[in-house]
């Protein structure tokens, strides 16, 4: 279990996160919604260890993790919204930059390991510059999965993808939580993506508010309009 406890973050005098707490259990797929600028990316970057909080703590199975320990003890991986890939290299070489094992082990991961269902093997020799948006996103996810994380954090994973790309991402989200018994924390504005989640939260005025299980799509849109005003 990953526990987020009383996370606070300010930028100058502006409070972005105000005592945010959250529990993430095995098999959870948790969605976070909120207006642009509400602090969603700040929150997930703190949980993943990229950013630091002013106060509060992150725990993995009861052990406090911070900084470099976030990855080794927490097994948390982050798929950012922006593309961090090296365009001039092949998909396979991008994977090799992040993979700790050898070439043979990586090939096995591609064909029968935890990333095989992402179908990177079918285009592993293509340069990233020639890949579609959906292929690049799947490659980003594969890189994040190389360390076999307990928690996969995804920031707007299907943004700018076509319908086929969005469908592939949703199906993998389902598979990761079901087959790998992993957990997902996703920031998204996509209603079909949010439908995969078993819990939803709305970030407003620096605080997380649970969304009732009985929500309808219109409720989500209303919450987003409300957070953009407040």
């Amino acid at each position: 279990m990953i526990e987020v406890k009383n996370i606070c973050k300010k930028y100058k005098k502006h409070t972005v996160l105000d005592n945010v707490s959250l529990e993430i259990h095995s098999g959870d797929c948790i969605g976070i919604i909120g207006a642009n600028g509400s602090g969603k990316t700040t929150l997930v970057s703190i949980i993943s260890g990229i950013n630091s909080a002013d106060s509060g703590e992150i725990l993995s199975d009861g052990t406090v993790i911070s900084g470099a320990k976030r990855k080794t003890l927490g097994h948390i991986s982050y798929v950012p919204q922006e593309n961090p890939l090296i365009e001039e290299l092949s998909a396979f070489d991008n994977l090799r930059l992040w993979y700790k094992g050898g070439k043979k082990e990586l090939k096995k991961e591609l064909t029968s390991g935890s990333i095989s269902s992402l179908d990177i093997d079918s285009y592993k020799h293509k340069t990233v510059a020639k890949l579609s948006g959906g292929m690049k996103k799947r490659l980003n996810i594969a890189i994040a999965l190389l360390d076999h994380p307990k928690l996969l954090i995804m920031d707007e994973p299907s943004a700018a993808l076509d319908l086929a790309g969005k469908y592939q991402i949703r199906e993998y989200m389902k598979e990761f939580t079901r087959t790998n018994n992993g957990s997902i924390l996703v920031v998204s504005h996509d209603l079909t993506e949010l439908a995969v989640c078993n819990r939803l939260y709305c970030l407003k005025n620096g605080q997380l508010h649970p969304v009732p299980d009985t929500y309808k799509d219109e409720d989500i849109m209303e919450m987003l309009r409300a957070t953009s005003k407040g």
Side-chain angles (χ1 to χ4, degrees):
M1 181 175 69
I2 304 295
E3 295 176 85
V4 179
K5 285 192 171 183
N6 305 317
I7 295 296
C8 295
K9 183 70 175 180
K10 284 185 178 181
Y11 290 112
K12 295 183 178 179
K13 294 183 179 180
H14 177 57
T15 299
V16 180
L17 300 173
D18 183 12
N19 284 305
V20 171
S21 296
L22 179 67
E23 289 187 358
I24 308 169
H25 301 267
S26 294
D28 269 343
C29 183
I30 298 174
I32 297 180
I33 63 170
N36 292 333
S38 61
K40 302 184 301 298
T41 296
T42 298
L43 175 59
V44 295
S45 68
I46 289 172
I47 297 172
S48 64
I50 294 173
N51 203 346
S52 59
D54 296 331
S55 60
E57 55 189 13
I58 312 293
L59 299 92
S60 175
D61 294 331
T63 300
V64 176
I65 52 177
S66 61
K69 291 183 178 180
R70 187 76 43 92
K71 194 168 186 177
T72 57
L73 291 179
H75 300 294
I76 299 172
S77 288
Y78 180 46
V79 182
Q81 184 176 353
E82 300 300 323
N83 174 19
L85 303 171
I86 299 176
E87 297 278 316
E88 296 81 8
L89 296 182
S90 69
F92 187 75
D93 285 338
N94 269 274
L95 285 167
R96 287 190 68 189
L97 286 174
W98 296 92
Y99 189 57
K100 296 175 182 176
K103 197 171 181 179
K104 286 185 178 180
E105 289 86 354
L106 179 55
K107 287 182 177 179
K108 187 174 181 180
E109 287 279 7
L110 285 170
T111 56
S112 58
S114 61
I115 62 174
S116 59
S117 61
L118 290 166
D119 195 31
I120 310 296
D121 194 56
S122 66
Y123 58 87
K124 65 184 177 184
H125 295 305
K126 286 186 177 181
T127 58
V128 168
K130 295 180 180 179
L131 301 181
S132 68
M135 288 175 173
K136 290 179 181 179
K137 184 59 69 173
R138 279 157 40 210
L139 180 57
N140 279 333
I141 294 172
I143 289 171
L145 293 173
L146 289 175
D147 285 332
H148 305 285
K150 295 178 182 178
L151 173 63
L152 182 63
I153 298 176
M154 310 172 83
D155 193 352
E156 299 287 357
S158 63
L161 297 186
D162 59 19
L163 290 175
K166 290 176 183 289
Y167 175 79
Q168 290 171 334
I169 297 303
R170 292 197 306 273
E171 290 304 299
Y172 188 76
M173 289 169 64
K174 294 176 186 176
E175 179 182 338
F176 182 76
T177 54
R178 181 180 64 245
T179 307
N180 299 331
N181 202 32
S183 308
I184 290 176
L185 181 62
V186 59
V187 170
S188 181
H189 288 96
D190 189 301
L191 292 174
T192 56
E193 205 164 71
L194 293 171
V196 176
C197 300
N198 64 304
R199 279 191 283 152
L200 288 182
Y201 292 87
C202 181
L203 185 59
K204 181 181 180 181
N205 296 329
Q207 297 183 331
L208 275 183
H209 303 274
V211 177
D213 293 338
T214 54
Y215 80 89
K216 298 179 181 178
D217 289 352
E218 309 90 83
D219 300 325
I220 298 296
M221 299 309 296
E222 182 57 37
M223 287 179 191
L224 291 174
R225 282 193 289 268
T227 55
S228 64
K229 296 173 184 177

